[in-house]
Amino acid sequence: MFSSGSKLTLRSLSLIHAAKGGVSFCKFRYKWHRNFVACSQCRGKKDDANFSSLFIPVPVTPNPDDINVGAELTGALNKSDLLKVLNKFYQKKEIKLLALENGLDNYLLHQAYVSFRRYCLEAEALPVDLHVVVSDILQGAGHVDDIFPYFLRHARQMFPHLECMDDLKKISDLRSPANWYPGARTLTRKIIFHAGPTNSGKTFHALERFLNSKSGVYCGPLKLLASEVFNKSNERGTPCDLVTGEERKFSQSNGDPSSHVSCTVEMTSVNVPYEVAIIDEIQMMRDTGRGWAWTRALLGVMAEEIHLCGEEGAVELVRSLMSTTGEDVEVRKYKRLTDLEVEDSAMGSLEAVQPGDCIVCFSKHDIYSVSRGIEAKGHEVAVIYGGLPPGTKLAQAQKFNDPDNSCKVLVATDAIGMGLNLSIRRVVFYSLIKPTVNEKGEKEMNTISVSQALQIAGRAGRYGTQYEKGFVTTFKPEDLNTLKNLLSQSPEPIVKAGLHPTAEQIELYAYHLPNSTLSNLMDIFVTLCTVDDSLYFMCNIEDFKFLADMIQHVPLPLRARYVFCCAPINRKLPFVCTMFLKFARQYSRNEALTLDWLCRNIGWPFAPPKTIIDLVHLEAVFDVLDLYLWFSYRFMDLFPAASLVRDMQAELDSMIQQGVFQLTRLLKNSETGVSSGTSAAIDEEDFAINRHKQSYLRGTIL
């Protein structure tokens, strides 16, 4: 019956079975396929019950202008009889299995059937081929299974992904990210890992090689660090440019690029060749938000010699990543240059504060209460936390570091962990619990990690300062043993590096799924992507999706929408989010965001802050100006006032500095209700938690 070498297909098997008096093709296929489907559902693919709900159906409506050719050929259809046929079709188990084989699970099948039934019953004229098939079924000349091809055609119109799922999976195949950087792969790069704790001199040695090279790039985690290297290079006679998301500075007055660049890691070029590259704080590859930038720099920077600086816990991961590129890693280990001693007793009371103390808090509320408490004891205090402008942080650090200044105590958040040179004698952990917000929008309180404890404690006793021996303790006696335990351990091994979808990948997704929103495309990408789980993870895209949802109703080209959603925004701040939305609307109208427009919308000029609420609002305004500058380097024609905005920032920075210098007075005014009338600010943590909860609940309902 079959020629030699021919394949015994499922259709062939069914024909043999039917010839022996068996059941129809659909029924045979159903019986044969049961075990196959059960097994396929248990394979190692991503098990996401809500995956199908990510695909937004495209409405399929009948064309009222169609001529009813089917009725002319076979007569009009009785809608009541048609409904019975459709219901019988949907109830068949064989149809459900055929649908599953074609990518329609129960969720998609139901959506498609409801739409198909509505289409058939509401259409004045069905497509002629479908009309004829239904007429044959009603007259007993056809089988209800014959509707399936027409139903599948309708389903594919509703869900375009059914015809391009293989293409989508290929686009989101992230198993070999090293191949994304062909320029780097043409080089045999020398990788040198400078591994050691804080205050070990590892970055110093890497920078010496950078400063003496013919060309180089420094990739840092913070604007402050990039600016420090920029200044140091030019002071040492090595012309160096500065590139951050918000700023470009050229060392040469004519604006020509220098052979050396200091940049934030996200701005690292993977197309320019260098002799030497430094990637600082390489352990940040593990960061769930920004880790992709370190991974990109490590795999993609075109440098003959790459110096990595960071924790020893990242060494094995770097070796594994470099094995995929065929590059060896030389490890140079460093020990701390000064001693660090854990005290045997806790601080216990603010009365026990000493000159050179830095009290580390993990919330603004603690920053305010501790600062006020210490000043009440007659001590002047410097304050540093993440929300302050860089200029204010540097001013506060300079005030604390100056031996001739009366300020001898620093109160800070973990923002001091990197980016600032501080002359600290003793680090005091006010608490070891750091609040975080989980995926459900609920606040959680977790003990800091070994890595965080070592990074912060290591700031005490900096080499070359007046305190060449460092001390560390806790404020609460009950925390001291926990701290000793944390500091006795080595940093946790870093096992995976972060990845993030590129604009090109999302554009390809949008081509295949033109009716999906950007947030929806990101969800589908992350769900479908294939990652080498032994080396990589997908970075958190919640901030990206938050911005995408915020501007979804604003008409923007896809590439511009993607750029907007990459903007560095603190989504906890309502005022910043509001201005971001206004920026997007103005851009969509192709109207320039002039200085006058900006001043009107932010309420410029401002009075000096009189309360904490005023100060927090001014910090948010500074973030808005930073955001404007970030956009000005990406959409220069519509954000034309960059130089003037930078002048505004300088003025605002000095105003914020005045507020921080008078923090205790602002706290007192807040209690008495005095205000400059700057703004009524919403508590940023409450705002973030409420938005997160709403987003989570929407996702659950969907």
Tab-separated table of all heavy atoms in Angstrom, residues 8-19 21-34 92-95 97-99 101-102 143 145-146 148-149:
chain	number	residue	atom	x	y	z
A	8	LEU	N	4.639	7.052	7.370
A	8	LEU	CA	3.311	6.618	7.794
A	8	LEU	C	2.685	7.760	8.573
A	8	LEU	O	2.933	7.932	9.758
A	8	LEU	CB	3.430	5.364	8.671
A	8	LEU	CG	2.159	4.531	8.839
A	8	LEU	CD1	1.696	3.982	7.505
A	8	LEU	CD2	2.420	3.385	9.812
A	9	THR	N	1.926	8.616	7.896
A	9	THR	CA	1.373	9.810	8.528
A	9	THR	C	0.134	9.465	9.333
A	9	THR	O	-0.441	8.372	9.210
A	9	THR	CB	0.999	10.859	7.473
A	9	THR	OG1	-0.043	10.312	6.659
A	9	THR	CG2	2.197	11.224	6.611
A	10	LEU	N	-0.314	10.443	10.115
A	10	LEU	CA	-1.516	10.267	10.920
A	10	LEU	C	-2.734	10.072	10.025
A	10	LEU	O	-3.609	9.252	10.301
A	10	LEU	CB	-1.694	11.493	11.822
A	10	LEU	CG	-2.810	11.420	12.849
A	10	LEU	CD1	-2.619	10.228	13.771
A	10	LEU	CD2	-2.859	12.709	13.664
A	11	ARG	N	-2.775	10.819	8.891
A	11	ARG	CA	-3.883	10.668	7.957
A	11	ARG	C	-3.886	9.244	7.367
A	11	ARG	O	-4.931	8.615	7.246
A	11	ARG	CB	-3.746	11.721	6.845
A	11	ARG	CG	-4.683	11.531	5.669
A	11	ARG	CD	-6.142	11.695	6.030
A	11	ARG	NE	-6.536	13.095	6.065
A	11	ARG	CZ	-7.790	13.492	6.267
A	11	ARG	NH1	-8.740	12.589	6.491
A	11	ARG	NH2	-8.086	14.756	6.291
A	12	SER	N	-2.693	8.728	7.049
A	12	SER	CA	-2.608	7.362	6.499
A	12	SER	C	-3.116	6.342	7.498
A	12	SER	O	-3.861	5.423	7.162
A	12	SER	CB	-1.154	7.046	6.128
A	12	SER	OG	-0.650	7.995	5.226
A	13	LEU	N	-2.705	6.500	8.752
A	13	LEU	CA	-3.156	5.580	9.796
A	13	LEU	C	-4.672	5.614	9.933
A	13	LEU	O	-5.328	4.590	10.110
A	13	LEU	CB	-2.496	5.939	11.130
A	13	LEU	CG	-1.007	5.589	11.266
A	13	LEU	CD1	-0.442	6.233	12.532
A	13	LEU	CD2	-0.832	4.079	11.319
A	14	SER	N	-5.238	6.825	9.840
A	14	SER	CA	-6.693	6.944	10.011
A	14	SER	C	-7.432	6.285	8.853
A	14	SER	O	-8.502	5.708	9.020
A	14	SER	CB	-7.084	8.423	10.127
A	14	SER	OG	-6.887	9.088	8.896
A	15	LEU	N	-6.829	6.398	7.631
A	15	LEU	CA	-7.469	5.768	6.472
A	15	LEU	C	-7.483	4.246	6.617
A	15	LEU	O	-8.464	3.579	6.301
A	15	LEU	CB	-6.723	6.166	5.189
A	15	LEU	CG	-6.886	7.640	4.763
A	15	LEU	CD1	-5.965	7.944	3.580
A	15	LEU	CD2	-8.336	7.933	4.409
A	16	ILE	N	-6.370	3.679	7.102
A	16	ILE	CA	-6.310	2.232	7.347
A	16	ILE	C	-7.362	1.845	8.371
A	16	ILE	O	-8.103	0.872	8.208
A	16	ILE	CB	-4.912	1.828	7.842
A	16	ILE	CG1	-3.868	2.105	6.759
A	16	ILE	CG2	-4.869	0.368	8.255
A	16	ILE	CD1	-2.427	1.954	7.248
A	17	HIS	N	-7.433	2.666	9.442
A	17	HIS	CA	-8.378	2.381	10.513
A	17	HIS	C	-9.817	2.463	10.009
A	17	HIS	O	-10.655	1.605	10.318
A	17	HIS	CB	-8.145	3.386	11.637
A	17	HIS	CG	-8.905	3.068	12.892
A	17	HIS	ND1	-8.562	2.020	13.729
A	17	HIS	CD2	-10.001	3.655	13.444
A	17	HIS	CE1	-9.401	1.981	14.751
A	17	HIS	NE2	-10.280	2.968	14.596
A	18	ALA	N	-10.100	3.470	9.165
A	18	ALA	CA	-11.471	3.641	8.652
A	18	ALA	C	-11.842	2.507	7.699
A	18	ALA	O	-12.984	2.049	7.661
A	18	ALA	CB	-11.580	4.994	7.941
A	19	ALA	N	-10.869	2.036	6.908
A	19	ALA	CA	-11.122	0.938	5.967
A	19	ALA	C	-11.527	-0.332	6.686
A	19	ALA	O	-12.191	-1.199	6.128
A	19	ALA	CB	-9.879	0.693	5.113
A	21	GLY	N	-13.469	-0.331	9.183
A	21	GLY	CA	-14.731	-0.079	9.870
A	21	GLY	C	-14.586	0.795	11.086
A	21	GLY	O	-15.460	0.799	11.952
A	22	GLY	N	-13.481	1.548	11.175
A	22	GLY	CA	-13.234	2.407	12.329
A	22	GLY	C	-13.998	3.713	12.247
A	22	GLY	O	-14.873	3.904	11.405
A	23	VAL	N	-13.622	4.644	13.139
A	23	VAL	CA	-14.333	5.920	13.256
A	23	VAL	C	-13.753	6.929	12.282
A	23	VAL	O	-12.806	6.664	11.557
A	23	VAL	CB	-14.212	6.459	14.705
A	23	VAL	CG1	-14.932	5.535	15.653
A	23	VAL	CG2	-12.756	6.637	15.107
A	24	SER	N	-14.326	8.153	12.281
A	24	SER	CA	-13.901	9.219	11.377
A	24	SER	C	-12.488	9.696	11.706
A	24	SER	O	-11.945	9.394	12.759
A	24	SER	CB	-14.866	10.403	11.493
A	24	SER	OG	-14.690	11.022	12.751
A	25	PHE	N	-11.932	10.486	10.752
A	25	PHE	CA	-10.575	11.016	10.913
A	25	PHE	C	-10.425	11.816	12.206
A	25	PHE	O	-9.470	11.640	12.953
A	25	PHE	CB	-10.249	11.893	9.694
A	25	PHE	CG	-9.010	12.721	9.872
A	25	PHE	CD1	-7.778	12.112	10.042
A	25	PHE	CD2	-9.077	14.111	9.854
A	25	PHE	CE1	-6.633	12.866	10.184
A	25	PHE	CE2	-7.937	14.860	10.009
A	25	PHE	CZ	-6.716	14.248	10.166
A	26	CYS	N	-11.398	12.681	12.485
A	26	CYS	CA	-11.302	13.530	13.690
A	26	CYS	C	-11.289	12.679	14.951
A	26	CYS	O	-10.509	12.921	15.872
A	26	CYS	CB	-12.464	14.519	13.738
A	26	CYS	SG	-12.071	16.078	12.921
A	27	LYS	N	-12.163	11.662	14.996
A	27	LYS	CA	-12.239	10.827	16.199
A	27	LYS	C	-10.965	10.009	16.359
A	27	LYS	O	-10.443	9.855	17.454
A	27	LYS	CB	-13.460	9.906	16.134
A	27	LYS	CG	-14.764	10.647	16.374
A	27	LYS	CD	-15.936	9.690	16.438
A	27	LYS	CE	-17.226	10.444	16.733
A	27	LYS	NZ	-18.382	9.543	16.739
A	28	PHE	N	-10.467	9.471	15.230
A	28	PHE	CA	-9.227	8.706	15.310
A	28	PHE	C	-8.079	9.605	15.793
A	28	PHE	O	-7.297	9.229	16.648
A	28	PHE	CB	-8.885	8.118	13.930
A	28	PHE	CG	-7.554	7.426	13.917
A	28	PHE	CD1	-7.450	6.117	14.355
A	28	PHE	CD2	-6.411	8.099	13.512
A	28	PHE	CE1	-6.228	5.474	14.371
A	28	PHE	CE2	-5.187	7.471	13.529
A	28	PHE	CZ	-5.093	6.155	13.949
A	29	ARG	N	-8.038	10.808	15.214
A	29	ARG	CA	-6.970	11.736	15.574
A	29	ARG	C	-7.046	12.079	17.057
A	29	ARG	O	-6.035	12.209	17.741
A	29	ARG	CB	-7.103	13.014	14.733
A	29	ARG	CG	-5.946	13.980	14.910
A	29	ARG	CD	-5.964	15.045	13.843
A	29	ARG	NE	-4.705	15.745	13.832
A	29	ARG	CZ	-4.131	16.246	12.765
A	29	ARG	NH1	-4.704	16.074	11.594
A	29	ARG	NH2	-2.992	16.894	12.844
A	30	TYR	N	-8.279	12.220	17.540
A	30	TYR	CA	-8.467	12.527	18.962
A	30	TYR	C	-7.901	11.411	19.835
A	30	TYR	O	-7.139	11.636	20.761
A	30	TYR	CB	-9.952	12.733	19.244
A	30	TYR	CG	-10.307	12.679	20.710
A	30	TYR	CD1	-9.819	13.648	21.587
A	30	TYR	CD2	-11.103	11.654	21.214
A	30	TYR	CE1	-10.130	13.604	22.930
A	30	TYR	CE2	-11.413	11.602	22.552
A	30	TYR	CZ	-10.931	12.580	23.406
A	30	TYR	OH	-11.242	12.527	24.735
A	31	LYS	N	-8.229	10.165	19.521
A	31	LYS	CA	-7.758	9.035	20.330
A	31	LYS	C	-6.238	8.923	20.273
A	31	LYS	O	-5.571	8.712	21.276
A	31	LYS	CB	-8.395	7.723	19.831
A	31	LYS	CG	-9.886	7.625	20.140
A	31	LYS	CD	-10.435	6.311	19.611
A	31	LYS	CE	-11.922	6.177	19.938
A	31	LYS	NZ	-12.478	4.918	19.428
A	32	TRP	N	-5.699	9.060	19.031
A	32	TRP	CA	-4.254	8.911	18.861
A	32	TRP	C	-3.483	10.025	19.561
A	32	TRP	O	-2.376	9.829	20.034
A	32	TRP	CB	-3.965	8.930	17.361
A	32	TRP	CG	-2.539	8.616	17.009
A	32	TRP	CD1	-2.003	7.392	16.770
A	32	TRP	CD2	-1.473	9.552	16.840
A	32	TRP	NE1	-0.668	7.497	16.458
A	32	TRP	CE2	-0.318	8.816	16.495
A	32	TRP	CE3	-1.378	10.937	16.950
A	32	TRP	CZ2	0.904	9.409	16.247
A	32	TRP	CZ3	-0.169	11.538	16.709
A	32	TRP	CH2	0.971	10.772	16.371
A	33	HIS	N	-4.117	11.202	19.633
A	33	HIS	CA	-3.402	12.405	20.080
A	33	HIS	C	-3.503	12.671	21.579
A	33	HIS	O	-2.811	13.532	22.103
A	33	HIS	CB	-3.983	13.616	19.331
A	33	HIS	CG	-2.970	14.689	19.080
A	33	HIS	ND1	-1.837	14.477	18.346
A	33	HIS	CD2	-2.919	15.995	19.469
A	33	HIS	CE1	-1.139	15.583	18.272
A	33	HIS	NE2	-1.761	16.518	18.944
A	34	ARG	N	-4.345	11.922	22.292
A	34	ARG	CA	-4.566	12.228	23.720
A	34	ARG	C	-3.269	12.197	24.512
A	34	ARG	O	-2.939	13.134	25.239
A	34	ARG	CB	-5.553	11.227	24.326
A	34	ARG	CG	-6.984	11.680	24.250
A	34	ARG	CD	-7.897	10.692	24.917
A	34	ARG	NE	-7.648	9.318	24.477
A	34	ARG	CZ	-8.465	8.306	24.715
A	34	ARG	NH1	-9.573	8.494	25.394
A	34	ARG	NH2	-8.188	7.096	24.295
A	92	LYS	N	-17.598	19.472	20.703
A	92	LYS	CA	-16.881	18.241	20.357
A	92	LYS	C	-15.464	18.250	20.937
A	92	LYS	O	-14.715	19.217	20.784
A	92	LYS	CB	-16.822	18.068	18.835
A	92	LYS	CG	-18.181	17.887	18.179
A	92	LYS	CD	-18.048	17.390	16.757
A	92	LYS	CE	-17.554	15.961	16.732
A	92	LYS	NZ	-17.541	15.398	15.371
A	93	LYS	N	-15.079	17.161	21.589
A	93	LYS	CA	-13.737	17.049	22.160
A	93	LYS	C	-12.664	17.060	21.071
A	93	LYS	O	-11.569	17.590	21.262
A	93	LYS	CB	-13.627	15.758	22.976
A	93	LYS	CG	-14.447	15.781	24.254
A	93	LYS	CD	-14.267	14.480	25.025
A	93	LYS	CE	-15.079	14.506	26.324
A	93	LYS	NZ	-14.947	13.228	27.069
A	94	GLU	N	-12.996	16.436	19.925
A	94	GLU	CA	-12.017	16.402	18.846
A	94	GLU	C	-11.660	17.811	18.368
A	94	GLU	O	-10.507	18.092	18.024
A	94	GLU	CB	-12.551	15.584	17.660
A	94	GLU	CG	-12.829	14.131	17.992
A	94	GLU	CD	-14.272	13.904	18.437
A	94	GLU	OE1	-14.871	14.848	18.992
A	94	GLU	OE2	-14.795	12.806	18.209
A	95	ILE	N	-12.650	18.680	18.342
A	95	ILE	CA	-12.415	20.066	17.902
A	95	ILE	C	-11.495	20.782	18.884
A	95	ILE	O	-10.584	21.519	18.485
A	95	ILE	CB	-13.757	20.822	17.761
A	95	ILE	CG1	-14.607	20.208	16.644
A	95	ILE	CG2	-13.519	22.313	17.521
A	95	ILE	CD1	-13.941	20.228	15.275
A	97	LEU	N	-9.205	19.441	20.657
A	97	LEU	CA	-7.848	18.956	20.465
A	97	LEU	C	-7.216	19.490	19.193
A	97	LEU	O	-6.038	19.839	19.164
A	97	LEU	CB	-7.840	17.432	20.464
A	97	LEU	CG	-7.628	16.856	21.869
A	97	LEU	CD1	-8.030	15.405	21.922
A	97	LEU	CD2	-6.183	17.021	22.285
A	98	LEU	N	-7.992	19.562	18.129
A	98	LEU	CA	-7.484	20.168	16.894
A	98	LEU	C	-7.105	21.627	17.125
A	98	LEU	O	-6.094	22.116	16.616
A	98	LEU	CB	-8.538	20.078	15.790
A	98	LEU	CG	-8.655	18.736	15.059
A	98	LEU	CD1	-9.857	18.748	14.133
A	98	LEU	CD2	-7.385	18.458	14.269
A	99	ALA	N	-7.935	22.308	17.901
A	99	ALA	CA	-7.655	23.714	18.210
A	99	ALA	C	-6.359	23.835	19.001
A	99	ALA	O	-5.521	24.703	18.724
A	99	ALA	CB	-8.817	24.318	18.993
A	101	GLU	N	-3.846	21.811	18.993
A	101	GLU	CA	-2.718	21.531	18.112
A	101	GLU	C	-2.352	22.761	17.283
A	101	GLU	O	-1.197	22.945	16.893
A	101	GLU	CB	-3.053	20.364	17.191
A	101	GLU	CG	-1.880	19.904	16.353
A	101	GLU	CD	-2.270	18.808	15.381
A	101	GLU	OE1	-3.382	18.270	15.514
A	101	GLU	OE2	-1.462	18.511	14.493
A	102	ASN	N	-3.323	23.616	17.035
A	102	ASN	CA	-3.084	24.832	16.246
A	102	ASN	C	-2.859	26.065	17.119
A	102	ASN	O	-2.965	27.198	16.646
A	102	ASN	CB	-4.265	25.075	15.301
A	102	ASN	CG	-4.238	24.144	14.095
A	102	ASN	OD1	-3.554	24.413	13.116
A	102	ASN	ND2	-4.977	23.039	14.195
A	143	HIS	N	-20.320	17.227	7.333
A	143	HIS	CA	-20.094	16.907	8.744
A	143	HIS	C	-19.751	18.187	9.493
A	143	HIS	O	-19.094	19.083	8.943
A	143	HIS	CB	-18.958	15.890	8.869
A	143	HIS	CG	-18.872	15.241	10.211
A	143	HIS	ND1	-18.269	15.828	11.291
A	143	HIS	CD2	-19.348	14.039	10.657
A	143	HIS	CE1	-18.343	15.040	12.342
A	143	HIS	NE2	-18.999	13.928	11.991
A	145	ASP	N	-17.597	18.760	11.579
A	145	ASP	CA	-16.143	18.977	11.654
A	145	ASP	C	-15.641	19.857	10.512
A	145	ASP	O	-14.579	20.478	10.614
A	145	ASP	CB	-15.393	17.652	11.606
A	145	ASP	CG	-15.661	16.787	12.828
A	145	ASP	OD1	-16.274	17.279	13.794
A	145	ASP	OD2	-15.243	15.626	12.804
A	146	ASP	N	-16.407	19.878	9.394
A	146	ASP	CA	-15.959	20.622	8.215
A	146	ASP	C	-15.885	22.123	8.460
A	146	ASP	O	-15.304	22.861	7.650
A	146	ASP	CB	-16.900	20.339	7.035
A	146	ASP	CG	-16.894	18.866	6.631
A	146	ASP	OD1	-15.885	18.190	6.949
A	146	ASP	OD2	-17.885	18.404	6.045
A	148	PHE	N	-14.280	23.461	10.852
A	148	PHE	CA	-13.035	23.807	11.552
A	148	PHE	C	-12.084	24.706	10.750
A	148	PHE	O	-11.556	25.677	11.296
A	148	PHE	CB	-12.302	22.544	12.006
A	148	PHE	CG	-11.083	22.841	12.832
A	148	PHE	CD1	-11.200	23.194	14.179
A	148	PHE	CD2	-9.815	22.838	12.257
A	148	PHE	CE1	-10.079	23.506	14.930
A	148	PHE	CE2	-8.692	23.142	13.010
A	148	PHE	CZ	-8.825	23.477	14.350
A	149	PRO	N	-11.814	24.427	9.461
A	149	PRO	CA	-10.876	25.302	8.728
A	149	PRO	C	-11.323	26.768	8.704
A	149	PRO	O	-10.489	27.677	8.758
A	149	PRO	CB	-10.848	24.704	7.321
A	149	PRO	CG	-11.268	23.283	7.508
A	149	PRO	CD	-12.258	23.298	8.633
